[in-house]
Amino acid sequence: MASKNDLQAAKKLMAYIEEKGYKAYIVGGYARDMMLRRPSHDVDIATNAPFSLLKQFQSADISKNKETDIIEVKYDGRKLEVARLLDGDIEKDLNRRDFTINALAMDKDNKIVGNRSHIDDIKNRNDINEIIQKKGI
């Protein structure tokens, strides 16, 4: 389960990335769960920053995904997964997500980014199973 400390560390890392001139977002399940006011299990970040910027925070566990480079970093005492944005663009990145209910992102100010219809689906329903059935997943 993601803790307040995980979220604080993620936001601090996002601020660091943005201070260096890049974009960073919390992506996927955490943004969805926040909208549904549910506990979340992890806080993942996506960025257009080169991973060399984050090398100093890299933990011993590094994984590479064929579609997206993902690294695990240790920041502010917390382990966080950081993925590279597809073509450096949040909208393109969200469009490739596995489920529409995960095709959401949140900036450091808690603003939700994503397809308006996906956001509306989540805002108008509390039952995640109903959302999945509506989208035909």
Side-chain angles (χ1 to χ4, degrees):
M1 176 108 30
S3 71
K4 231 179 191 178
N5 293 337
D6 293 331
L7 179 60
Q8 289 171 345
K11 286 188 174 190
K12 285 180 184 179
L13 180 57
M14 291 165 62
Y16 170 81
I17 291 168
E18 290 179 2
E19 285 171 8
K20 300 297 183 185
Y22 299 98
K23 303 253 185 218
Y25 301 89
I26 293 173
V27 292
Y30 188 88
R32 175 203 63 226
D33 291 340
M34 188 187 93
M35 288 183 68
L36 290 171
R37 292 182 170 88
R38 295 170 27 157
S40 193
H41 294 285
D42 60 0
V43 182
D44 298 324
I45 296 173
T47 184
N48 63 345
F51 284 163
S52 59
L53 179 72
L54 305 174
K55 192 172 189 140
Q56 62 185 317
F57 309 118
Q58 214 165 290
S59 73
D61 298 324
I62 304 166
S63 62
K64 295 282 184 190
N65 179 312
K66 289 182 181 180
E67 291 180 24
T68 308
D69 289 332
I70 299 171
I71 62 171
E72 186 176 85
V73 300
K74 191 168 186 178
Y75 193 83
D76 207 28
R78 313 306 283 185
K79 286 186 178 181
L80 302 166
E81 281 192 1
V82 180
R84 192 169 314 200
L85 286 171
L86 181 66
D87 293 333
D89 182 87
I90 188 62
E91 294 298 331
K92 286 182 182 179
D93 190 81
L94 293 176
N95 285 332
R96 73 177 168 108
R97 300 265 165 189
D98 54 355
F99 295 109
T100 57
I101 57 172
N102 288 338
L104 298 172
M106 184 175 78
D107 68 15
K108 70 179 185 326
D109 299 318
N110 296 332
K111 180 183 175 204
I112 300 293
V113 177
N115 181 299
R116 185 85 244 155
S117 68
H118 301 166
I119 293 169
D120 289 343
D121 279 347
I122 291 173
K123 280 184 177 177
N124 295 327
R125 291 171 180 77
N126 290 324
D127 183 355
I128 202 76
N129 294 321
E130 184 182 341
I131 295 168
I132 290 172
Q133 289 171 0
K134 181 179 184 294
K135 290 296 182 187
I137 299 170

